[in-house]
Amino acid sequence: MIYRINPDVCIGCGICVEECIQETITLEDDVAAIDEDNCIGCACCMDACPVDAIEEI
């Protein structure tokens, strides 16, 4: 599974960046972004997001 950030929901807290074991999430203009090519689908980011801004695609 691959995940993406819903930019309309993301609050830019950075928790997902800290929790990503692949270090594939960055903050860009205060919104998280996932490098889908490096995402392994572990869902650590999804579990950590306090506003449910991460969606499975």
Side-chain angles (χ1 to χ4, degrees):
M1 288 177 264
I2 304 296
Y3 299 92
R4 73 173 188 92
I5 308 292
N6 181 336
D8 295 328
V9 179
C10 179
I11 59 173
C13 67
I15 293 172
C16 60
V17 175
E18 295 171 12
E19 293 296 317
C20 181
I21 62 173
Q22 285 295 104
E23 298 180 359
T24 193
I25 304 175
T26 57
L27 284 179
E28 299 173 8
D29 297 322
D30 294 324
V31 175
I34 298 175
D35 178 354
E36 294 175 9
D37 292 333
N38 290 322
C39 178
I40 62 170
C42 68
C44 288
C45 59
M46 187 179 226
D47 293 339
C49 182
V51 294
D52 297 325
I54 303 171
E55 306 168 336
E56 182 181 331
I57 57 171

